[in-house]
Amino acid sequence: MRKTNRLITPSRLPLALAVLACLQAAPVLAQESTREEAAASSASKSDKKATDLDKVTVTGSLIRRADYETTSPVFTIDTERNAAQGQTSVSEFLQKSAIGAAETQITNQFGGFTTNGGTGVQTFSLRGLGANRTLILLDGQRPGPAGTRGAVGAFDLNVLPTAVLQRAEIVKDGSSSIYGSDAVAGVVNLITKKNFERPELTISGRVPTEGGGEVFSASLANGWNFDNGSIVAAVEWYRQNELTRGDRDFFKCAEDIVWDDKGNRIDRVDRSILAGTNLANCQNMLHNVIDVGATRYVPSTDGSTVGPFPGYRPRANQTYANGNPLATYQEPYNFPAYGQSQIINRQERKTVYFATDFGFDSFNWKTQFLYNNRTTDNFAWRQFFPTVLIPGTTTRAQPVLPFKSASETEVDYYYFANKFDGGFGSSTWGWEVNANYSHSSGKYSNLGIRNSISGDIGRPGTGTAAANYFDPGYLNGSKVDELVSILGVWAKGKTTYDQTTVNAVFSGELFDLPAGAVATAVGVEYRNYKIDDQPGADFADIWGSTTAGRTKGDEKVKEAFLELDVPVIKGVPGIESLSLNGSGRVFKYDTVSGSDKVWKFGVNWQIIPSLRLRGTIGTSYRAPGLYELYLGNQTGFQAQTAIDPCIRWAEGNNSNAAANCAAAGIPGDYTAAGNSSATVFTRGGAGGDLKPETSRARSLGLVFTPEFADLSIAIDYFDYEVSDQITALSAASILEGCYESTTYPNRYCDLMRRNPNSGANANMVTEVYAQYLNINRQRTRGWDLTLNWEHEFSFGKFSLDSQVTYTVEDTAELFDSAAASGLSSSDQLGDFGRPDLVGNLGLSLERGDWTYNWMTQYIASTQDPDLSETFTYQGRPNSYRDITAGSRWYHTASVSYEQADWQILVGVSNVFDAKPPLISSSVYSSRYGNTHPFATQYDYYGRTPFVRLKYKF
């Protein structure tokens, strides 16, 4: 009877207790960034600019130079190429790239979980290190995050309209010395379009053939060019419909999926009142049972009564123990309305964008304004299991009832940016000053159960029960609306987050060397962050959750930085050019004692005109976020059945829990009957308990661009190691980490208290200490391959693009060792959500007005590294379960036809309707049917036709 709502946090812990913060997979075509692309993006169409725009700043460096290749690996994602795959949002562009699909991403599919930023937020994480360690820039500047609840911290990709996005450039190494804190894993620079020749209307739709999850969008963009500058404006509307459990066969019916040694399915057989119906044999959500001590009462199939509850009798489940030929269960695990639960939330967005770019006699002035309104609605089912007295007796019982779980979220986001830049006469030096401000205001409402009238004698302050929970209509869910009207309460809250950034950069050439000019960039930056999350008073009266305190605080950061590029050798055999790049940044955070610094060193060696070697090594830094520091201290109560995996462990299929709970001396039929709720203490790290995170990143790459073909191949090695990573553990995660891990006991067990095996309230969990803490370390390393080839044939222009990410190590230790972290090995490579290999291939043929596209993506198989395929199932040794999520190929085909005034694009994603892989129920407790919820690389929609119509007025 575990709660549906679970915490997703940014570190990889055993059995995915906390997951890097996801959805249908299709390839993203990426190519190496070039200086020409950057210059084209930066330069205005106007001829009357104040500064020399032959010199530009490229992503990955602060230096303005006319001819410059960064030492950092950078590749580009082009929006037009992604639109040919049916992708309609910025989040899809990034999350479905090979580098994005190599890990779990947070999208709006996590409505049943608690995510940083609140329901519906969509973020981007690089290298499995978390979205709060990946810095998002908008045209080179920091936009602030958006979202709800106290854990707002990462940029929400929902806020940016696709109508104005030209491309995304991703720096694939640590870049804190260039861009400051949060750039631990890398940087994504979202670059907008600077010019529209005519008003442009775009309408698109995406409709899966099986229904559910439909996407519709419309945008209108225009630009105006003047003698001394330009203006760009756009409005966009986006709507995604919900995808429910009932919309897909692989969601609607969870099964054990177990075989004998001959390959025969040996799943338990449903002998409940659902037997023989289309709801049978689906272990979706336990309900309609009453626990009295160790006895569980279930509805009688013939309506007879045995015991104190009319129409109910003690269950008589059967296992394979003692040679029984069949395993059965008599509890109801399904009901007709269960399929209404959403996997993908319903979401609607409205966006307004406005930008100006004007040049004057001695300076240029650029502005940006962005407004976004997002609404996200979620619906699911949960259990309600109060401890109450059987009417007319002093005997305690625990009925298990279905109850509605719903939330409504609305976020208004504003972003203002001002940039002034210019030069110093005829010198090579230039300057720029940026001032940016963002404001996020989010309102959230959650449907909960009012604790003060629940009558749950296992929790304090619950009063007298407002309803008779033994009513069969409440137990089976047929009268759930009536129960919601009695107990339900919409708890409301509001979150605001403000970010102000001011910086100044001076860049130019210091002096000449034989190989060229020594160039530098130097500057200062000031940032101010503020958060204020105010949960309403009703949040303090919600059954089954901790009290919600106010999260309020601010942070001020002062930084100074320097970058230096030194050309060492040029024009000798074997060295066309060799340059060294160094950068450093010093900073002072108000909430961190003292100051600190980071550095980065890079080499760029053009061996011959067609071959370039590049490499970097550097450090990065991330101070604790506002939500990690100022989370309001909370004291709450969680029912034993909501958090304790040792309850009735003998009936479960989790072999680790069975072994560890038995080792703790807890009986297999332990029910926690009569025990009060556990006290859960939750607090932030403002008391000085949290240390800043530090990291070291290395990259080494080879770029091959032969003169005999329009071909580019880049191979890059990456290696990150992060120390003192900050994460949060929920109460359920702590107990799962203690008892469901391969190694027991471990350090998770130190964060909880349990009564002895004998005496009053034996085995009861009394206290759980859920808090933010610094974990030991995480290391990830591997290879990226990017290939681009184009050729003009007599029949048209053919292009091929490929991107591959291959991870060779993914080590994560929460505590000092693998054993202390509950792991058999620290290297969790290939675990669910982190395939070791992801690859994309795109083929395109342009023939006159027609363009034909075929895209393919490969996702390698994953499996739980801490579980064995063979286990004891329901008393039957040598049973076999599926612990592997198999590999998948996804294919997308599209064709476009373009005329001077209009263009139409039609296509089909997931052409062959590949389904997501299934795993056995014993592998992971929180599943969508038998799919792993955090393996977000897989496509949930199925075969999906899409269309886009673009018209220029």
Side-chain angles (χ1 to χ4, degrees):
M1 292 179 292
R2 310 298 288 277
K3 285 185 62 181
T4 303
N5 287 31
R6 304 282 290 283
L7 176 69
I8 298 179
T9 53
S11 61
R12 296 181 45 75
L13 305 179
L15 300 175
L17 296 181
V19 189
L20 291 170
C22 302
L23 219 31
Q24 103 189 59
V28 172
L29 303 178
Q31 66 248 3
E32 282 292 305
S33 253
T34 64
R35 177 183 54 81
E36 289 80 7
E37 287 176 325
S41 169
S42 300
S44 167
K45 296 287 185 179
S46 171
D47 294 330
K48 295 188 176 182
K49 299 298 289 180
T51 60
D52 179 8
L53 288 179
D54 288 338
K55 295 181 173 63
V56 297
T57 302
V58 299
T59 302
S61 173
L62 299 173
I63 295 175
R64 296 173 60 253
R65 296 189 65 171
D67 185 9
Y68 187 60
E69 295 278 2
T70 69
T71 58
S72 298
V74 181
F75 73 87
T76 298
I77 297 175
D78 182 76
T79 59
E80 283 301 309
R81 293 176 181 266
N82 286 56
Q85 306 166 42
Q87 297 175 11
T88 58
S89 66
V90 178
S91 58
E92 289 180 319
F93 296 164
L94 296 174
Q95 293 166 352
K96 294 177 183 178
S97 64
I99 194 172
E103 61 176 285
T104 298
Q105 300 288 350
I106 295 298
T107 72
N108 60 346
Q109 81 171 48
F110 288 110
F113 296 82
T114 301
T115 57
N116 290 344
T119 302
V121 69
Q122 301 195 68
T123 59
F124 183 64
S125 167
L126 282 168
R127 309 302 191 195
L129 298 180
N132 52 353
R133 296 172 191 87
T134 300
L135 179 62
I136 304 294
L137 303 176
L138 181 59
D139 288 326
Q141 297 299 310
R142 288 175 175 249
T148 58
R149 308 302 298 260
V152 176
F155 180 73
D156 183 6
L157 298 170
N158 288 309
V159 306
L160 188 65
T162 59
V164 298
L165 182 65
Q166 183 181 51
R167 67 183 186 275
E169 294 182 347
I170 302 179
V171 183
K172 300 184 292 182
D173 66 0
S175 300
S176 284
S177 63
I178 299 294
Y179 294 108
S181 182
D182 305 336
V184 174
V187 175
V188 178
N189 191 12
L190 301 172
I191 298 175
T192 60
K193 298 176 182 178
K194 304 301 187 291
N195 179 268
F196 286 87
E197 295 179 355
R198 289 186 287 169
E200 190 172 286
L201 174 67
T202 304
I203 300 174
S204 63
R206 192 174 69 199
V207 181
T209 56
E210 295 185 58
E214 299 87 355
V215 174
F216 306 97
S217 66
S219 66
L220 180 63
N222 193 21
W224 297 268
N225 295 320
F226 305 95
D227 290 341
N228 65 334
S230 62
I231 296 175
V232 170
V235 293
E236 185 169 285
W237 170 82
Y238 175 96
R239 166 69 180 262
Q240 179 164 31
N241 293 336
E242 65 272 19
L243 179 70
T244 68
R245 290 180 183 264
D247 287 332
R248 298 293 182 270
D249 290 339
F250 45 81
F251 290 148
K252 67 175 57 173
C253 183
E255 302 175 283
D256 285 347
I257 309 184
V258 183
W259 298 267
D260 63 16
D261 54 4
K262 297 182 177 60
N264 302 307
R265 284 285 292 271
I266 56 172
D267 288 23
R268 296 173 294 166
V269 177
D270 193 337
R271 292 289 186 262
S272 72
I273 56 173
L274 302 176
T277 72
N278 60 359
L279 299 174
N281 296 301
C282 298
Q283 291 92 51
N284 288 332
M285 191 179 83
L286 177 68
H287 69 291
N288 201 9
V289 301
I290 305 169
D291 288 337
V292 182
T295 303
R296 172 167 288 174
Y297 290 87
V298 298
S300 302
T301 55
D302 58 2
S304 61
T305 299
V306 179
F309 311 108
Y312 289 75
R313 60 175 175 79
R315 67 173 181 177
N317 291 0
Q318 184 177 343
T319 70
Y320 286 110
N322 302 317
N324 289 334
L326 197 67
T328 65
Y329 65 92
Q330 297 181 345
E331 295 95 333
Y333 278 96
N334 204 5
F335 54 97
Y338 184 75
Q340 299 171 2
S341 296
Q342 296 177 8
I343 302 298
I344 305 296
N345 303 144
R346 182 170 65 251
Q347 186 172 106
E348 186 171 15
R349 304 197 295 260
K350 307 177 190 71
T351 309
V352 177
Y353 176 86
F354 184 81
T356 66
D357 184 356
F358 285 93
F360 301 95
D361 291 339
S362 58
F363 67 94
N364 307 311
W365 181 28
K366 301 179 179 69
T367 68
Q368 272 183 324
F369 168 75
L370 174 65
Y371 167 73
N372 175 265
N373 171 267
R374 170 175 65 87
T375 58
T376 305
D377 299 329
N378 177 65
F379 176 80
W381 292 97
R382 61 173 298 177
Q383 296 168 319
F384 175 44
F385 39 90
T387 300
V388 292
L389 299 179
I390 300 174
T393 75
T394 58
T395 303
R396 292 188 175 195
Q398 191 172 55
V400 183
L401 308 82
F403 200 88
K404 291 183 176 181
S405 176
S407 67
E408 297 176 353
T409 303
E410 182 175 10
V411 179
D412 290 302
Y413 179 81
Y414 302 85
Y415 172 68
F416 306 88
N418 272 282
K419 178 178 182 177
F420 296 91
D421 63 43
F424 294 97
S426 60
S427 74
T428 63
W429 282 79
W431 60 270
E432 68 176 69
V433 176
N434 296 278
N436 313 309
Y437 171 74
S438 66
H439 172 76
S440 170
S441 177
K443 296 178 289 185
Y444 53 92
S445 302
N446 290 53
L447 176 61
I449 300 167
R450 192 176 290 279
N451 185 65
S452 58
I453 59 173
S454 68
D456 186 347
I457 58 179
R459 296 171 60 89
T462 56
T464 303
N468 175 20
Y469 304 137
F470 302 100
D471 183 329
Y474 294 154
L475 287 162
N476 63 30
S478 62
K479 296 169 61 176
V480 67
D481 288 333
E482 179 181 309
L483 187 64
V484 170
S485 68
I486 297 171
L487 296 178
V489 56
W490 279 94
K492 300 180 179 181
K494 181 178 180 180
T495 307
T496 60
Y497 194 106
D498 297 272
Q499 177 177 301
T500 302
T501 303
V502 179
N503 61 55
V505 183
F506 302 89
S507 176
E509 297 175 357
L510 293 173
F511 53 86
D512 289 330
L513 293 176
V518 176
T520 188
V522 60
V524 292
E525 183 164 296
Y526 169 82
R527 298 193 300 276
N528 185 10
Y529 311 96
K530 295 180 181 179
I531 190 172
D532 189 0
D533 175 54
Q534 301 183 61
D538 286 329
F539 275 100
D541 190 24
I542 298 297
W543 180 90
S545 67
T546 58
T547 58
R550 185 176 185 179
T551 299
K552 182 179 181 180
D554 68 309
E555 173 74 280
K556 297 181 179 65
V557 188
K558 305 176 187 69
E559 298 181 332
F561 48 87
L562 170 71
E563 182 183 2
L564 196 67
D565 192 78
V566 181
V568 179
I569 304 175
K570 185 177 183 180
V572 301
I575 307 178
E576 288 287 320
S577 64
L578 175 66
S579 63
L580 304 179
N581 181 274
S583 57
R585 184 174 289 246
V586 295
F587 37 79
K588 175 67 177 73
Y589 283 77
D590 278 4
T591 59
V592 179
S593 61
S595 60
D596 215 322
K597 60 185 180 298
V598 291
W599 56 267
K600 186 176 180 180
F601 177 75
V603 177
N604 223 333
W605 176 15
Q606 192 75 43
I607 303 171
I608 56 177
S610 61
L611 191 63
R612 181 163 63 97
L613 182 69
R614 62 191 178 196
T616 63
I617 182 172
T619 61
S620 289
Y621 176 99
R622 190 182 82 87
L626 292 181
Y627 66 94
E628 294 162 337
L629 287 171
Y630 296 110
L631 177 71
N633 291 340
Q634 303 168 11
T635 300
F637 303 92
Q638 290 275 19
Q640 301 288 320
T641 45
I643 61 174
D644 191 354
C646 290
I647 292 176
R648 299 184 187 271
W649 61 259
E651 300 175 16
N653 298 323
N654 190 304
S655 52
N656 284 342
N660 297 336
C661 294
I666 301 170
D669 60 353
Y670 168 65
T671 65
N675 288 344
S676 59
S677 298
T679 303
V680 179
F681 301 97
T682 306
R683 61 186 176 90
D689 297 331
L690 292 181
K691 298 184 293 184
E693 302 175 358
T694 58
S695 70
R696 178 163 295 192
R698 305 170 181 85
S699 72
L700 182 65
L702 193 66
V703 182
F704 179 54
T705 53
E707 297 179 355
F708 60 81
D710 194 355
L711 172 68
S712 173
I713 302 175
I715 301 175
D716 291 288
Y717 171 78
F718 61 87
D719 185 352
Y720 295 80
E721 184 165 2
V722 184
S723 300
D724 296 319
Q725 201 173 58
I726 300 169
T727 192
L729 301 176
S730 67
S733 296
I734 290 170
L735 271 82
E736 287 176 354
C738 176
Y739 294 105
E740 294 186 0
S741 296
T742 302
T743 302
Y744 174 84
N746 52 62
R747 287 283 300 279
Y748 288 101
C749 305
D750 297 339
L751 300 175
M752 53 161 287
R753 301 288 181 268
R754 185 189 285 276
N755 281 343
N757 301 132
S758 59
N761 302 116
N763 298 306
M764 182 180 79
V765 177
T766 58
E767 296 176 352
V768 185
Y769 301 93
Q771 62 194 65
Y772 283 99
L773 73 163
N774 291 99
I775 72 172
N776 188 37
R777 72 183 186 103
Q778 180 176 358
R779 185 182 185 189
T780 181
R781 59 189 182 92
W783 297 86
D784 290 325
L785 167 68
T786 303
L787 183 150
N788 305 278
W789 177 62
E790 292 183 349
H791 187 74
E792 288 278 0
F793 293 93
S794 59
F795 52 82
K797 181 180 179 181
F798 179 79
S799 62
L800 180 152
D801 298 87
S802 182
Q803 179 195 354
V804 177
T805 294
Y806 176 56
T807 307
V808 298
E809 181 181 351
D810 185 14
T811 299
E813 290 180 357
L814 181 69
F815 302 112
D816 296 334
S817 65
S821 304
L823 302 170
S824 58
S825 169
S826 295
D827 193 352
Q828 300 292 292
L829 179 64
D831 196 358
F832 298 115
R834 283 304 303 273
D836 60 355
L837 179 64
V838 175
N840 299 331
L841 173 66
L843 306 176
S844 179
L845 175 63
E846 296 180 27
R847 182 178 172 86
D849 298 328
W850 296 85
T851 302
Y852 307 89
N853 303 287
W854 183 273
M855 285 73 68
T856 297
Q857 183 174 52
Y858 173 74
I859 306 293
S861 63
T862 57
Q863 71 174 42
D864 192 310
D866 295 306
L867 291 182
S868 171
E869 184 182 45
T870 305
F871 74 123
T872 298
Y873 172 68
Q874 296 291 308
R876 188 186 190 283
N878 299 318
S879 300
Y880 292 82
R881 57 187 167 186
D882 193 347
I883 64 171
T884 301
S887 61
R888 286 294 183 273
W889 292 89
Y890 293 108
H891 304 274
T892 298
S894 68
V895 59
S896 67
Y897 179 74
E898 185 170 5
Q899 290 292 289
D901 296 332
W902 60 277
Q903 179 198 58
I904 186 170
L905 168 73
V906 295
V908 179
S909 62
N910 197 353
V911 172
F912 301 111
D913 200 23
K915 310 296 184 185
L918 307 181
I919 57 175
S920 298
S921 63
S922 61
V923 176
Y924 192 69
S925 57
S926 296
R927 289 163 283 103
Y928 295 152
N930 284 97
T931 67
H932 199 292
F934 305 144
T936 55
Q937 298 80 11
Y938 300 114
D939 178 18
Y940 289 165
Y941 299 99
R943 184 182 295 114
T944 303
F946 58 87
V947 62
R948 185 188 71 173
L949 177 64
K950 184 178 290 187
Y951 183 78
K952 296 180 180 180
F953 296 92

